[in-house]
Amino acid sequence: MKVFINKRIPEIGIHMLEEAGMEVFIPDHENLSHEEWLIHCQNHDAVLSVGGEFRYDRDFFEHCPDLKTIALYSVGFDHVDTKEASRRSIPVGNTPDVLSKATSDVAFLLMQSVARRASYNFQKVKDGNWGDFDPLHALGQELYGKTLGILGLGRIGFEMAKKSQKAFDMNIIYHNRHHNEEAENELGAAYVSFEELISQSDVLSIHANFTPEQKDLFNASVFEKMKPESIFINTARGGFQNEKDLYEALISKQIWGAGLDVTQPEPMSKESPLLELSNVCVLPHIGSATIEARTGMAKIAAENIIAFSRGEKIPYCINPEVYQ
């Protein structure tokens, strides 16, 4: 099998594929145009897809009729038309579990950074603007005993909830498509409606899979229903938030602060007014950016392709109906 990887990944993943007898191609430069990317995909049996800038939709599959499988170097798969892939008998794999702790670490980091205005105060130090002691300037807030609301209490959300409860004795509420009995039993998490989630959370953290129907889910009408002291955290997908409405909600004090590891679009413009606010912390989508997580992702992505090459079901398949 010939495998195309659009960006370099940890060497172990490449080594695993080559050890399994595959021909691996990685382009010399990573900023591929859409046309370059498409040509490479057309000339290979499998794609190990890094990043979400390219869409695997009906148009893609029509241009790549010989492609046999796709291994995503990610948990999220909102850039893949799974129904179309299944219709064409193309199994698609992702990399769950291995980055749950790392991504929840970033959500936990953002929560604390926003609560204590850490990035704003760090910038003051860098600018030489430390200033005299002011008892009332840029005060933060404490998280002890507050309510953490989670949209999408899966693996990552569970890790975030567990950290927050152990560190700050936070109460956990959540909204899911289904009940999470493990979280309810272990953490005392309470299932609530979406309306209850947004009105009761002191910190609201998004960990759900994104779908087009959820675009701009967090908009002006939602922000105005949240607590004025609440903190909005998103480490899932930038499409969940309307950033114009988020800015307005922050400056009008409808909510207290926001921490984002994902933006809309990515990368965020350096001119974004959100970056001027003292109660906002933005990171450049680093949820899985640890040696351990990225290495684990490389292994799992390689395992998905290797299993396919051996005629086996890929172990981390997001469209299992392809095997029915």
Side-chain angles (χ1 to χ4, degrees):
M1 280 183 60
K2 297 170 64 179
V3 180
F4 166 53
I5 308 177
N6 61 298
K7 292 183 180 181
R8 185 158 291 279
I9 62 173
E11 199 65 30
I12 188 169
I14 301 168
H15 180 71
M16 288 171 63
L17 293 169
E18 291 175 339
E19 283 289 297
M22 298 185 200
E23 180 183 327
V24 178
F25 173 76
I26 304 171
D28 293 331
H29 66 99
E30 297 185 344
N31 297 318
L32 298 175
S33 67
H34 184 272
E35 291 73 21
E36 290 174 316
W37 166 74
L38 195 60
I39 290 171
H40 290 312
C41 291
Q42 290 170 338
N43 293 328
H44 289 81
D45 304 300
V47 174
L48 198 161
S49 179
V50 185
E53 62 265 40
F54 299 122
R55 297 197 60 81
Y56 297 89
D57 52 17
R58 177 174 294 183
D59 181 69
F60 167 81
F61 289 116
E62 287 179 354
H63 281 86
C64 300
D66 298 323
L67 189 70
K68 298 176 176 63
T69 189
I70 299 170
L72 303 176
Y73 190 77
S74 66
V75 174
F77 50 88
D78 50 290
H79 55 308
V80 180
D81 185 338
T82 54
K83 290 184 179 179
E84 186 65 20
S86 297
R87 190 178 73 82
R88 296 171 181 267
S89 300
I90 297 174
V92 181
N94 68 341
T95 61
D97 297 332
V98 70
L99 48 70
S100 297
K101 286 185 170 60
T103 304
S104 67
D105 285 347
V106 169
F108 191 71
L109 169 67
L110 284 168
M111 177 176 69
Q112 294 178 85
S113 296
V114 173
R116 297 302 300 270
R117 301 182 190 259
S119 58
Y120 166 75
N121 283 299
F122 178 47
Q123 189 63 47
K124 284 181 63 180
V125 176
K126 289 174 66 178
D127 292 342
N129 188 28
W130 190 309
D132 296 329
F133 174 71
D134 184 342
L136 299 178
H137 178 68
L139 299 182
Q141 60 170 292
E142 297 183 8
L143 298 167
Y144 300 99
K146 299 288 182 68
T147 295
L148 170 66
I150 293 183
L151 179 65
L153 187 53
R155 299 177 182 93
I156 299 172
F158 183 87
E159 291 293 334
M160 172 61 170
K162 187 165 61 173
K163 289 180 176 71
S164 300
Q165 189 174 81
K166 288 184 176 180
F168 297 112
D169 195 26
M170 298 183 80
N171 303 305
I172 310 300
I173 62 176
Y174 73 101
H175 181 71
N176 263 16
R177 287 175 296 177
H178 308 289
H179 282 260
N180 186 324
E181 294 183 1
E182 181 185 5
E184 292 177 3
N185 294 332
E186 186 174 330
L187 305 176
Y191 180 90
V192 297
S193 67
F194 181 72
E195 291 295 320
E196 291 171 317
L197 184 80
I198 61 177
S199 65
Q200 296 177 17
S201 297
D202 296 306
V203 177
L204 198 157
S205 190
I206 304 178
H207 301 282
N209 287 325
F210 180 74
T211 62
E213 295 75 28
Q214 294 169 309
K215 180 173 172 54
D216 293 341
L217 175 63
F218 285 84
N219 53 33
S221 64
V222 169
F223 290 128
E224 69 182 12
K225 296 174 184 176
M226 293 173 64
K227 293 182 178 182
E229 68 274 15
S230 64
I231 295 172
F232 174 75
I233 303 294
N234 188 3
T235 56
R237 285 290 185 267
F240 276 109
Q241 72 240 357
N242 181 306
E243 291 181 9
K244 180 178 182 296
D245 290 354
L246 174 59
Y247 175 77
E248 295 295 333
L250 288 162
I251 62 172
S252 63
K253 299 184 179 180
Q254 290 178 336
I255 65 173
W256 196 85
L260 310 174
D261 187 43
V262 288
T263 60
Q264 180 181 212
E266 289 184 6
M268 173 183 271
S269 169
K270 66 178 182 179
E271 307 300 329
S272 171
L274 286 169
L275 299 176
E276 300 299 320
L277 301 181
S278 68
N279 52 349
V280 171
C281 180
V282 180
L283 299 174
H285 205 150
I286 61 166
S288 65
T290 67
I291 295 170
E292 295 84 354
R294 294 280 172 87
T295 299
M297 292 166 68
K299 289 179 180 179
I300 290 177
E303 287 171 3
N304 281 331
I305 294 176
I306 292 168
F308 176 84
S309 72
R310 294 172 176 168
E312 303 168 359
K313 291 183 179 180
I314 66 176
Y316 301 95
C317 188
I318 63 174
N319 58 335
E321 64 274 9
V322 76
Y323 293 111
Q324 296 174 1

